Amino acid sequence: MLINTRSKEFAIESILLAVSALAVVILILISIFLFREGAALFKDIPFLDFLTGKNWHPTSVPPVFGLLPLLLGTLLVTAGAIVIAVPLGIASAVFISEIAPPNVAEILKPIVEILAGVPSVVYGFFGLVVLIPRLQQLLDLPTGQTALAGSIMLGIMALPTIISISEDAISSVPDFLKEGSLALGATRWQTIYRVTVPAALSGISAAVMLGMGRAIGETMTVMMVTGNAAVIPGFPGGIFAPVKTMTATIALEMGEVPQGSEHYHALFAIGAVLFVITLLINLIAEAVKRKYRFKVGS
Amino acid sequence: MFSPKVSEKIAFAFLTVAILIVVGFVLTILSYIVTNGIGAISIDFLIQGPKNRMTEGGIFPAIVGTVFLIIGSMAVALPFGILAAIYLNEYAEEGRIVWIIQMAISNLAGTPSVVFGLFGLAMFVKYMGFGASILAASLTLALVVLPVIIRASEEAMATVPSGLREASLALGVTRWQTVRKIVLPIALPGMVTGAILSVGRVAGETAPILLTGAAYFLPRLPDSVSDQFMALPYHLFVLATSGTNIATTRPIQYGTALVLLMIVLGVNFVAVMIRRHYKNKMRW
Amino acid sequence: MVTDIFVEDIETEITTNDLNLWYGEKQALKNISIDIPKNSITAFIGPSGCGKSTFLRCFNRMNDLIKTCRIEGEVLVEGENVYESGVDVVELRKRIGMVFQKPNPFPMSIYENIAYGPRIHGEKNKGKLTTLVEETLRAAALWDEVSDRLNSPALDLSGGQQQRLCIARTLAVKPEIILLDEPCSALDPISTSKIEDLLMDLKKDYTIIIVTHNMQQAARVSDHTAYFLMGKLIEFGETRQIFEMPRQKSTEDYITGRFG
Amino acid sequence: MVTDIFVEDIETEITTNDLNLWYGEKQALKNISIDIPKNSITAFIGPSGCGKSTFLRCFNRMNDLIKTCRIEGEVLVEGENVYESGVDVVELRKRIGMVFQKPNPFPMSIYENIAYGPRIHGEKNKGKLTTLVEETLRAAALWDEVSDRLNSPALDLSGGQQQRLCIARTLAVKPEIILLDEPCSALDPISTSKIEDLLMDLKKDYTIIIVTHNMQQAARVSDHTAYFLMGKLIEFGETRQIFEMPRQKSTEDYITGRFG
Amino acid sequence: MARVKYQRELDSLKQKVVTMGEASQKAILDAVESLRDLNVELAEKTIQNDPLIDSYEANIERYATRLLALQQPLASDLRLITSSIKIALDLERMSDLAVDIAKIVDKIEGGHVKPLINIPMMGEIAENMVKNAIKAFVTSDVELAKTTAAEDDRVDKLFYSTWRELIGMMVEDHTIINNASHLLFVLRYLERIGDHATNICESVVYIVTAERVELN
Amino acid sequence: MARVKYQRELDSLKQKVVTMGEASQKAILDAVESLRDLNVELAEKTIQNDPLIDSYEANIERYATRLLALQQPLASDLRLITSSIKIALDLERMSDLAVDIAKIVDKIEGGHVKPLINIPMMGEIAENMVKNAIKAFVTSDVELAKTTAAEDDRVDKLFYSTWRELIGMMVEDHTIINNASHLLFVLRYLERIGDHATNICESVVYIVTAERVELN
Ligand SMILES: Nc1ncnc2c1ncn2[C@@H]1O[C@H](COP(=O)(O)OP(=O)(O)OP(=O)(O)O)[C@@H](O)[C@H]1O
Ligand SMILES: Nc1ncnc2c1ncn2[C@@H]1O[C@H](COP(=O)(O)OP(=O)(O)OP(=O)(O)O)[C@@H](O)[C@H]1O
Ligand SMILES: [Mg+2]
Ligand SMILES: [Mg+2]
Ligand SMILES: O=P([O-])([O-])[O-]
């Protein structure tokens, strides 16, 4: 009985540890498969050429696999999304947690959660049928399928991430800090921007990083609204022109490539780059969270 | 510049505008999908397969495919996710190993779904030889939602006050008994909520299944787990971007979008209701 | 209510007349009339939930933050009704400082914590700020302990030091009145006695009101004591009298620990 | 360390010999040797961080939960070294009940809270459980207050009642020793005095060890008092002697509030 | 109702004072009686009983100190406790004085010159004062305390008149000088007992009203 | 170092006792001197000074009670405070006795039959006892307290011998009966002063060792 209980406890703990370690295993497997399939490309094409190549012509003869247009396309769309989502998101988070009366906040929160729930194809579909024609008309463009359309849609999609994580961070700033400021004769706004928001800054930064991660990794929506033209976007004109992102390239072209072909491996190489980028963003977000974690009330 | 009071008024006005824009987005998207989609929906639309090169008929196989994906992926992700969460929250000590596991989980959470798709393609479809199939797609989606489930379960367990665990242990109760009798019952509503939310995620994901087994057109139900399948989100994508007659099938597209949206939001709504119900009941 | 300080020569700082307060349906304060004297320490005592904090927070209108809270009656600070429309709440809170139960320094440096208030109220001159920081830290009997690390985080201080920092922070906006809501309940006896000494020191320049659960503390530091029970002011008088010879049976029962 | 209870006729329940404990690099207990007498109340006093809780948690090995914690020396409970390999920690914790600072009833009914321990340890007979629940609630002086609502949630009870429930829950697994870590620090004076009465009642059947910051409480309830300072046991003796005439200057300084 | 144990302890302190009061009263009564009747045995008994009364005093002091240490008394509770120490001191002094009186029985040579009348009367008044003082203490009766203290005037008057009478007798008949001088002291002792009873009355007023008044 | 204010308050309590002790000492000295020299003026002064000493006692009691109420003293601090009340009582009684002695100056008819020798000697010893008792109190010196209390034997011896002497003189010369009977009381008063000094010494031992001992 004695030994029994103890060995049972030990067995349970070991199993649980093994299951948890699965997360690490999966991550390693992902890296292995991506890098292995991707690396096959570099038997023929130097890695640097791939990275700095200005052209993506996978079907021309001979094919040209230059990542740069796709990478810049992704960055442009993402940057646009961040420019839209960050101010709107943080402002909304502040509004919900600090200004709205409790019952209004209780209505606003599920509304924001709806944004998070809408599947990306639906966003893409909406962008395709509603946003794009209007953009084209409004800005008098040859096509509405532009980086701008992608940025707008991704911006909207990144909003719930940014809002809910920021809102969490802001409302977890203890009331007694806010009261301390108000009791000194500070206005609510002074309290918000001098005490509450700085105290929540780590959480807000993490929210921005994660929102950015979501935008970079998003596939279906950008695929449906950005026009998918693999050209290096100019600036600022490129904003109003079609672009092709890394994710869209993978999703679009994978269906048509023969397995084991150079093109196939090139798509995996894109996947690997994407994976590394999001990995870095996540690590930075974690570090930010850790570094600025403030200790209130010991 | 401005007096504190005036600055406050201006700032609050800006914040109000921001939230109105956000709410505007939501309402616009919903209203477009609902008003345009509601007309397309009928019983036939829901229980019939697509006809006439997908320009007519219903979406039944896609609904069934999505349901299969949900069942398949949850059957894998749920037990693994909950067990991992139990370990991380109840057993793990601060340390290198746990830190590595935690980092792995948050990186998995941040990995783009299309990358999961690539992995599923390379690992399940090719390497393990499942082919493009429900099995491969379900496993891939299971990986996508695994971190979501782990995080939600961990969070739910973290709300159980540590005093209760200590109290139980101090009564001469083993750790596993304490987890089962005290922690899990209290954390259950939170864990259920997390699971339901990930169901929504599975229903809406497109990129991973695109690479691992979703069929462009398959007007019958899949025979086995190694069959290809249709799924709502991919079906919508196909209709909207590469269908035979994109312009005339708009109503079908709207209808499909609405059904998909209703499934996802409906599931989320249930989760929110459960959460709300238990939040009111729990208090320490 | 029994009171004995309607004495001519004591100047009144805060007066309430027939103050009633509700949280939603629940009445938390009932018909409270009191005259709180200037430049002295007044203690509020009473069992938990009797309304001490609620009453205290009427003076600087911190109750405004609670949506369900409704008030009738007058609160006069130096003769002015603070609940009149047109009263500037921000200005009022500058005049009436408040220190809370749990020390709540901002997550900034010691210096920044104290400079916070004056900056908010428009002080930009660096030199003046620095002088003010030193002055208030000295007044709060903290200068000697922190003068060499003004730029280190306030949260690194001990609980007792944090509480004195909060008092210094309050002093920095030059209030006339200081409200303290159980300022020592989270502190050890030694920090407590430092804060008590500090309050007795400050009372020559400020009107101080302190809520406390510690009978001995009320008796040690205060000049006048008000005893509350279930939202009512039961007795108010000189501290010595309250603790030696309360007029109300209920007061005696409470201070001798027979109930509460 | 000065001790005076090496008297023949006092039976010893717990003995430690040269106990040392580290949290990582930091030594939290230093060479502690003590004989804690049976069927009596022993109080642990000392300034915050002196190691009282740490020492208390050595007896039922609750420190095992902390990975960085390392122990040298012996802890004998009824002559058996609890840190020997092969000791069943679960069994040990059944014998040594523990009550915490904050009342922590499980979010179940009153009945279920008490039945929890016995059930886990194999008691399935409904009748026996019901008898046990009544018995322990009576022993914890709570029966009269809750007998008519055994099935209502334990969290609906007041803080003082919750703490007595936690004591009852501990009694239900029939321990020999009860450890209490500042059991009254979250309670009001009245609940506190109820718990104190209860402890004095229980000591005929149990060996009780209580950590407290309240000198008066230690003096009121305990038979023996141990004074700790910076991880060392400074003085141990009869409570009356410790509070009337401590042998160590440091003890006197602490109990008279000269430091700590 | 809270702090039941504390309540009980306060009551028990009061009870101790009452018990001691009764013992002191008896000592006074017995001492005076033994002197009147020159009853050596009763005198001896009174003397032997004194250590017990002393132990009462020590016990009350210890108990009161314990209460002060453990219960943080305030207001009238605090006054009750500190005053109990003082009252016990007064009672202890009274029985010492009773012992002093009893000790004189042995020193009277022959019999009394004339039957003692004033001294027993003083004794009775003093004993009555003690009884009423303790009663006032138990019932917190300020009025009773005041009227009791007023009795001290009668004791003082008897003291002076008897004193003069005794001095006169000594001058007339110097064979009685030894006995009479002893009786002079007895007068003084009884007068002191009256003073101590008055002290108790003052303590009662202090406990109830928080004010120290002079009652003589 | 903590609770500085409390420390200061304890010191201040001690200081109050010292001040009162000095005043009582002086009262004893003056009373005995006024009696020896039949110095009516000095006697008057001593009597007039008594209310001041009484107020000292009241003050010490009030202060000590305040400390008990506010500072929750324990161990030796607590004993110091309760004992201060008792010591003040002893000192107050001493100066009352000094007043009693001073009051006799007026009652002596004519001059002393013979110069007073023993009485001033007893006075000196008693006064010295008070001085040393207070010194022992301030310095927590148990040894000094014990040797001081031992002095009481000398006072007692002088009391008995002088008593016998006086009785003898009264028998021989009954014109001095009035004066001598007054002196008998003085003897008694001085003996009581010695007793009170002994009480103080006992209190000192109690404060330091927590034990009540009988020192006579
Ligand atoms: N925001 C609130 N909403 C509703 N009721 C409240 C609120 N704040 C306080 N109350 C109620 O008002 C009454 C008075 O509360 P208050 O906090 O003023 O008591 P208190 O005397 O300060 O008690 P304590 O000593 O426990 O701090 C209590 O019954 C409390 O439950
Ligand atoms: N888990 C831990 N890891 C590292 N150090 C710890 C841990 N727990 C306690 N300590 C340290 O060990 C010392 C003793 O702590 P312990 O909690 O036993 O003190 P205590 O006497 O109970 O204090 P208190 O009265 O504040 O409860 C302290 O210095 C504390 O900081
Ligand atoms: Mg309060
Ligand atoms: Mg502890
Ligand atoms: O104690 P006394 O002799 O002064 O009454």
Side-chain angles (χ1 to χ4, degrees), chain E residues 93 97 192 196, chain F residues 93 97 192 196:
Chain E
R93 275 302 298 146
L97 291 163
R192 283 297 300 148
H196 284 292
Chain F
R93 275 303 297 145
L97 290 163
R192 282 299 299 149
H196 283 293

Side-chain angles (χ1 to χ4, degrees), chain D residues 215-216 219 242-246 252 255-260, chain F residues 1-3 6-7 10 72 74-77 79 208-210:
Chain D
M215 236 57 71
Q216 276 79 14
I242 297 276
F243 284 94
E244 277 182 359
M245 204 51 217
E252 169 127 20
I255 62 177
T256 57
R258 274 176 186 67
F259 92 117
Chain F
M1 198 57 184
R3 295 184 79 185
Y6 171 48
Q7 266 319 297
L10 286 179
Q72 305 160 25
L74 278 175
S76 64
D77 290 352
R79 293 195 294 276
V208 180
T209 67

Side-chain angles (χ1 to χ4, degrees), chain A residues 201-214:
Chain A
L201 208 57
S202 67
I204 294 175
S205 328
V208 170
M209 294 307 289
L210 294 175
M212 194 155 95
R214 168 124 208 228

Side-chain angles (χ1 to χ4, degrees), chain A residues 99 101-102 176-188 190-191 194-195 198-199 294-298, chain C residues 57 60 62 65 90 93-94 96-98 100 102 104-108 116 119-121 155-156 162 169-170 173:
Chain A
I99 298 175
F176 57 70
L177 272 189
K178 302 173 198 167
E179 285 196 335
S181 171
L182 291 173
L184 287 173
T187 62
R188 281 167 76 195
Q190 284 171 324
T191 302
R194 302 190 78 137
V195 173
F294 66 99
K295 14 164 203 160
V296 169
S298 17
Chain C
R57 296 161 72 96
N60 65 346
M62 283 302 267
L65 304 177
V90 166
R93 295 198 186 131
K94 254 169 78 179
I96 308 185
M98 187 160 196
F100 300 83
K102 245 189 102 195
N104 58 352
F106 302 129
M108 316 166 175
Y116 177 86
R119 278 227 187 88
I120 287 241
H121 299 122
L155 291 164
D156 286 354
Q162 290 188 7
R169 184 174 71 183
T170 303
V173 295

Side-chain angles (χ1 to χ4, degrees), chain D residues 47-54 56-57 101 181-182 211 213:
Chain D
S48 188
C50 67
K52 303 178 295 293
S53 302
T54 301
L56 194 74
R57 297 162 72 95
Q101 182 165 358
D181 196 349
E182 301 186 37
V211 171
H213 268 128

Side-chain angles (χ1 to χ4, degrees), chain C residues 215-216 243-246 252 255-259, chain E residues 2-3 6-7 10 72 74-77 79 208:
Chain C
M215 237 57 71
Q216 276 79 16
F243 283 94
E244 278 182 358
M245 204 52 215
E252 168 128 21
I255 62 177
T256 56
R258 275 175 185 69
F259 92 114
Chain E
R3 294 184 80 185
Y6 171 49
Q7 265 320 296
L10 286 178
Q72 305 160 27
L74 278 174
S76 63
D77 290 352
R79 294 194 294 276
V208 180

Side-chain angles (χ1 to χ4, degrees), chain C residues 246-260:
Chain C
R247 290 158 205 226
Q248 299 292 305
K249 178 84 179 54
S250 148
T251 314
E252 168 128 21
D253 285 352
Y254 179 68
I255 62 177
T256 56
R258 275 175 185 69
F259 92 114

